[in-house]
């Protein structure tokens, strides 16, 4: 029987919704979605985004929630009930979630590190530190910016390449241990403890975002950022990458395929209205992405305007000193005319000075696309340092990052722990607290790799390759399994039993045709992209230039990338093969008897 009578439940449906929001609304909404808006048409990107939400996001979220709620098992048990040959699908989800947990909590460690430094006055990334002789600034910092220097040198102490692995940075290692300790305390008692924590991790980020929205909209230059965001560049709609990016963002921001949603739904009452909750969670997730983008672009506009005006002022000061101009004769409004005039009247002097004269452009500042850790830890910290009372906004921002990160980690660990605690063999020998402790300890120890000097390069490898192709394959098999192996009519009856009505034509068409075709298209795109890319490359920090440089991955890194993809993807065919062999051996044993 699929339903387990003794299974612990959420206190109420609202707690389940908060758990899903806490998991789904994560760092990707804050640092990935604004980047995609910037890259693919500003407000125009919302068109493919909402089409993909309707065609892919909502149906697949509903499907996973319904499977978890009906089968009352974690990912391994749920797919095993649908068909014994699908046990590998659940194992693949657990493997992907394990990979994600290994590196994702490092972001929380970095958030802790920045949070602790946010109480200093001035902020440690506000200015460049003095050199050892105290005669000037550190050379590496002078070649870049104070915020980049603090990130690459003080936080990561990054090595020049992946080959120079270096040693473990003990400050980052301690922050990582703290991050895992917090996660462990949150999951210690299963739904009893997680259910209370999700109220905080789901709601607090919105409070901080509202504070930042109010502050962001009052910043000088915020309008420039918002105009840039909402101005639609409709020509981008003809770019296939725009649609691929929209589909990918929906897919990953909802956390499909990891097994976390199935795990959360398995603790629901059998009569819970999972259809309504799928719509609510997906709409809140997408609304949050847009809301976070408004906040990000208002701050981005402030930063771009600040940099643009600083650039203009430096050029004005340089020209006034070189040509002994009167105070106030040169302004931002007449700068171009004065440059032309000085070039015509003092050609030799102007030619000598021209290499030092930067070409200041607000549009160029706004066009600088940054995502991921670059947006979270460099761009935001650069904007914060120029605000009034920067310590307050720094504490609020990195506390928000921490809440978002911990909320996602609760889902990741649930995807691993639920199948383990569902196993009668493991649960009979070890209590939940011990199982959770062992999982956290193993992840923490392996995660120390990411605190080494080359740790950020390994972080990028896991972030780029540990989940993408594997998740697409997992969700494709899930959809085909429900529609064509378990049977869509049988699934309809299950839903009628649970929520009192059958799914309408929209859900059935999306499950049976539209969503699988979209996933296959994404899968082919990523596979083709990897093949056409040729030698895989990464961005390494060059301290002598104070900038990122492109390098080829060494052979062993390529082997790790291959293993990351294969380790989870091969679980699906291997699971089916093992089940087939077991059944044949059982038949042979019965026939000989």
């Amino acid at each position: 029987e699929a339903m387990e009578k003794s299974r612990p439940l959420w206190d109420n449906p609202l707690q389940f919704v908060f758990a899903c929001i806490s998991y789904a609304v994560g760092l990707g909404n804050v640092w990935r979605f604004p980047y995609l808006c910037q890259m693919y048409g500003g407000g125009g990107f919302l068109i493919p985004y909402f089409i993909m939400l309707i065609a892919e996001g909502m149906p697949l979220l509903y499907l996973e929630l319904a499977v978890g709620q009906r089968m009352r098992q974690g990912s391994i048990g749920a797919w095993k009930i649908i068909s014994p040959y699908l046990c590998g699908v659940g194992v693949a989800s657990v493997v992907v979630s394990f990979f994600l947990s290994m590196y994702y909590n490092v972001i929380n460690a970095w958030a802790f590190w920045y949070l602790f430094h946010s109480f200093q006055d001035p902020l440690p990334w506000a200015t460049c530190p003095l050199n050892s002789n105290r005669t000037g600034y550190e050379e590496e910092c002078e070649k870049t910016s104070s915020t980049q220097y603090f990130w690459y040198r003080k936080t990561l102490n990054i090595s020049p390449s992946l080959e120079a692995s270096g040693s473990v940075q003990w400050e980052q290692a301690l922050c990582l241990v703290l991050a895992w300790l917090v996660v462990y305390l949150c999951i210690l008692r299963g739904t009893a403890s997680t259910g209370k924590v999700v109220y905080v991790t789901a709601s607090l980020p919105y409070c901080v975002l509202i504070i930042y929205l109010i502050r962001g909209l009052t910043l000088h230059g915020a309008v420039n950022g918002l105009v840039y965001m909402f101005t639609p560049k409709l020509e981008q709609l003809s770019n296939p990458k725009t649609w691929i990016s929209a589909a990918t963002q929906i897919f990953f921001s909802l956390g499909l395929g990891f097994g976390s949603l199935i795990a959360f739904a398995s603790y629901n009452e059998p009569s819970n209205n999972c259809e309504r909750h799928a719509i609510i969670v997906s709409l809140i997730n997408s609304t949050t992405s847009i809301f976070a983008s408004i906040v990000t672009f208002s701050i981005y506009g402030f930063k771009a305007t600040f940099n643009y005006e600083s650039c203009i002022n430096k050029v004005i000061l340089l020209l006034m000193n070189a040509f002994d101009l009167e105070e106030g004769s040169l302004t931002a409004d007449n700068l171009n005319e004065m440059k032309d005039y000085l070039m015509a009247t003092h050609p030799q002097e102007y030619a000598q000075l021209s290499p030092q004269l930067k070409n200041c452009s607000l549009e160029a500042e706004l066009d600088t696309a940054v995502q991921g850790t670059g947006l979270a830890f460099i761009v935001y910290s650069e904007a914060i340092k120029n605000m009034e009372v920067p310590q307050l906004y720094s504490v609020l921002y990195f506390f928000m990052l921490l809440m978002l990160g911990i909320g996602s980690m609760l889902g990741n660990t649930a995807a691993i722990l639920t199948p383990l605690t569902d196993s009668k063999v493991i649960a009979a020998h070890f209590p939940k607290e011990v199982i959770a402790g062992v999982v956290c300890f193993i992840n923490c120890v392996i995660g120390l790799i990411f605190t080494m000097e080359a740790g950020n390069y390994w972080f990028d490898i896991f972030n780029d390759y540990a989940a993408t192709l594997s998740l697409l394959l997992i969700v494709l098999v899930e959809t085909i399994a429900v529609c064509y192996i378990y049977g869509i009519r049988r699934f309809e009856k299950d839903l009628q039993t649970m929520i009192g009505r059958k799914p309408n034509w929209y859900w059935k068409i999306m499950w049976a045709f539209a969503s699988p075709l979209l996933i296959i298209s994404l899968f082919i795109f990523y596979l083709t992209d990897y093949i056409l890319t040729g030698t895989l490359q990464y961005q390494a920090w060059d301290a002598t230039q104070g900038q990122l440089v492109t390098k080829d991955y060494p052979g062993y890194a390529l082997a790790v990338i291959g293993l990351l993809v294969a380790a989870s993807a091969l679980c699906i065919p291997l699971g089916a093969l093992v089940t087939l062999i077991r059944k044949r051996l059982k038949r042979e044993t019965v026939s000989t008897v």
Side-chain angles (χ1 to χ4, degrees):
E1 178 64 38
M3 306 290 183
E4 286 184 27
K5 304 292 183 190
S6 61
R7 194 168 190 79
L9 300 171
W10 299 108
D11 292 344
N12 52 67
L14 184 65
Q15 197 175 62
F16 165 68
V17 172
F18 267 82
C20 289
I21 291 168
S22 177
Y23 166 65
V25 176
L27 296 167
N29 301 74
V30 176
W31 72 25
R32 175 78 178 155
F33 184 82
Y35 164 79
L36 293 175
C37 275
Q38 190 179 11
M39 286 291 290
Y40 298 110
F45 181 72
L46 297 177
I47 297 168
Y49 179 76
F50 279 109
I51 289 171
M52 292 302 173
L53 175 68
I54 292 163
E56 175 195 47
M58 281 186 191
L60 295 176
L61 179 61
Y62 183 15
L63 184 139
E64 287 206 351
L65 294 184
V67 167
Q69 187 172 309
R70 173 61 185 157
M71 305 308 167
R72 306 297 300 285
Q73 290 274 323
S75 54
I76 295 175
W79 296 110
K80 205 171 179 182
I81 291 168
I82 287 174
S83 170
Y85 292 100
L86 294 173
C87 63
V89 177
V91 175
S93 290
V94 172
V95 170
V96 170
S97 292
F98 186 75
F99 286 156
L100 187 70
S101 296
M102 277 165 54
Y103 77 87
Y104 197 93
N105 218 19
V106 178
I107 301 169
N108 292 331
W110 292 333
F112 268 123
W113 168 259
Y114 270 80
L115 183 64
F116 296 150
H117 282 81
S118 296
F119 294 96
Q120 295 182 29
D121 186 20
L123 291 173
W125 56 84
T127 55
C128 285
L130 294 171
N131 59 27
S132 54
N133 300 327
R134 305 189 74 79
T135 54
Y137 294 118
E138 282 282 353
E139 189 181 347
E140 183 182 354
C141 190
E142 280 191 314
K143 288 180 178 176
T144 176
S145 66
S146 57
T147 47
Q148 284 186 308
Y149 178 81
F150 186 82
W151 169 245
Y152 287 113
R153 187 54 51 216
K154 294 295 182 181
T155 304
L156 303 177
N157 192 23
I158 199 164
S159 62
S161 68
L162 189 61
E163 290 90 337
S165 56
S167 57
V168 170
Q169 309 300 298
W170 67 268
E171 298 101 329
Q172 302 307 319
L174 286 176
C175 287
L176 182 64
V177 171
L178 176 61
W180 272 112
L181 186 62
V182 170
V183 169
Y184 176 66
L185 292 173
C186 291
I187 63 172
L188 187 60
R189 301 280 303 281
T191 52
S193 55
T194 304
K196 307 294 185 293
V197 175
V198 292
Y199 286 125
V200 179
T201 55
S203 55
L204 265 180
Y206 289 99
C207 299
V208 177
L209 279 173
I210 290 167
I211 293 168
Y212 256 90
L213 178 68
I214 296 165
R215 182 69 188 105
L217 293 176
T218 58
L219 289 170
H220 174 58
V223 175
N224 293 329
L226 293 175
V227 168
Y228 185 88
M229 176 192 168
F230 285 108
T231 303
K233 298 172 184 144
L234 297 177
E235 67 274 6
Q236 282 290 344
L237 294 178
S238 60
N239 181 359
K241 280 199 171 183
T242 303
W243 295 84
I244 294 289
S245 298
T248 308
Q249 175 64 14
I250 287 287
F251 191 92
F252 292 113
S253 69
L254 287 172
L256 302 167
F258 288 101
S260 305
L261 296 165
I262 292 173
F264 281 156
S266 72
Y267 299 112
N268 273 337
E269 288 282 1
S271 58
N272 181 64
N273 191 338
C274 50
E275 179 184 307
R276 183 172 62 202
H277 290 157
I279 295 167
I280 290 169
V281 171
S282 53
L283 286 176
I284 288 174
N285 181 64
S286 296
T287 306
T288 305
S289 293
I290 297 166
F291 179 45
S293 292
I294 293 170
V295 176
T296 299
F297 274 94
S298 65
I299 289 167
Y300 209 71
F302 162 69
K303 174 190 164 289
T305 305
F306 184 89
N307 289 347
Y308 169 68
E309 290 179 352
S310 296
C311 177
I312 290 284
N313 291 334
K314 282 178 184 174
V315 171
I316 289 172
L317 187 64
L318 201 63
L319 290 171
M320 287 183 72
N321 290 337
F323 295 100
D324 199 22
L325 301 171
E326 285 183 25
E327 191 77 30
S329 62
L330 193 55
T331 63
D333 295 327
N334 69 358
L335 180 60
N336 287 332
E337 289 86 347
M338 285 296 287
K339 281 166 80 173
D340 292 339
Y341 170 74
L342 293 169
M343 195 191 304
T345 54
H346 303 84
Q348 286 186 325
E349 294 92 329
Y350 191 89
Q352 288 176 344
L353 194 66
S354 61
Q356 299 175 53
L357 297 174
K358 289 184 179 177
N359 189 17
C360 306
S361 167
L362 180 60
E363 193 68 24
E365 287 288 345
L366 288 166
D367 278 339
T368 308
V370 185
Q371 65 164 325
T373 50
L375 177 62
F377 295 103
I378 297 174
V379 173
Y380 259 92
S381 57
E382 191 172 327
I384 287 166
K385 75 173 187 180
N386 296 317
M387 292 180 186
E388 295 173 13
V389 202
Q391 288 77 14
L392 172 64
Y393 291 104
S394 186
V395 168
L396 283 172
Y397 173 69
F398 291 110
F399 184 69
M400 179 191 73
L401 276 194
L402 206 50
M403 289 299 101
L404 290 170
I406 289 170
S408 296
M409 280 304 299
L410 297 181
N412 295 337
T413 49
I416 302 166
L417 291 173
T418 304
L420 294 177
T421 52
D422 283 345
S423 169
K424 290 175 184 176
V425 177
I426 297 172
H429 291 86
F430 304 102
K432 284 182 180 178
E433 294 83 356
V434 173
I435 298 169
V438 169
V439 168
C440 290
F441 178 75
I442 291 169
N443 271 298
C444 184
V445 170
I446 298 171
L448 291 173
I449 293 167
F450 305 108
T451 65
M452 296 173 73
E453 289 174 32
N456 194 55
Y457 303 133
W458 287 111
F459 175 89
D460 287 338
I461 285 173
F462 273 72
N463 192 36
D464 291 340
Y465 302 104
T468 313
L469 285 172
S470 306
L471 281 183
L472 291 170
L473 183 62
I474 290 166
V475 179
L476 177 63
V477 174
E478 284 180 358
T479 315
I480 292 169
V482 169
C483 293
Y484 302 105
I485 297 174
Y486 189 73
I488 200 158
R489 288 186 181 177
R490 190 177 167 191
F491 193 55
E492 273 186 273
K493 288 176 185 175
D494 288 345
L495 286 168
Q496 189 170 23
T497 306
M498 289 193 294
I499 66 173
R501 65 176 182 276
K502 288 183 177 181
N504 60 36
W505 60 269
Y506 158 70
W507 298 112
K508 289 186 280 187
I509 288 172
M510 293 301 140
W511 287 332
F513 305 108
S515 294
L517 286 173
L518 267 172
I519 296 166
I520 290 167
S521 302
L522 281 174
F523 193 82
I524 292 168
F525 169 80
Y526 277 108
L527 210 57
T528 309
D529 193 47
Y530 288 149
I531 293 164
L532 294 177
T533 301
T535 306
L536 298 178
Q537 296 178 318
Y538 68 103
Q539 296 284 297
W541 180 254
D542 188 334
T544 58
Q545 297 181 53
Q547 63 181 33
L548 293 166
V549 293
T550 304
K551 293 189 176 183
D552 291 341
Y553 275 121
Y556 62 86
L558 295 174
V560 170
I561 290 168
L563 284 171
L564 284 174
V565 176
S568 50
L570 288 177
C571 289
I572 299 172
L574 285 175
L577 185 64
V578 168
T579 305
L580 181 68
I581 292 167
R582 276 183 177 175
K583 287 201 169 189
R584 287 209 172 167
L585 289 173
K586 201 173 181 181
R587 271 188 217 147
E588 285 173 12
T589 307
V590 171
S591 62
T592 52
V593 171

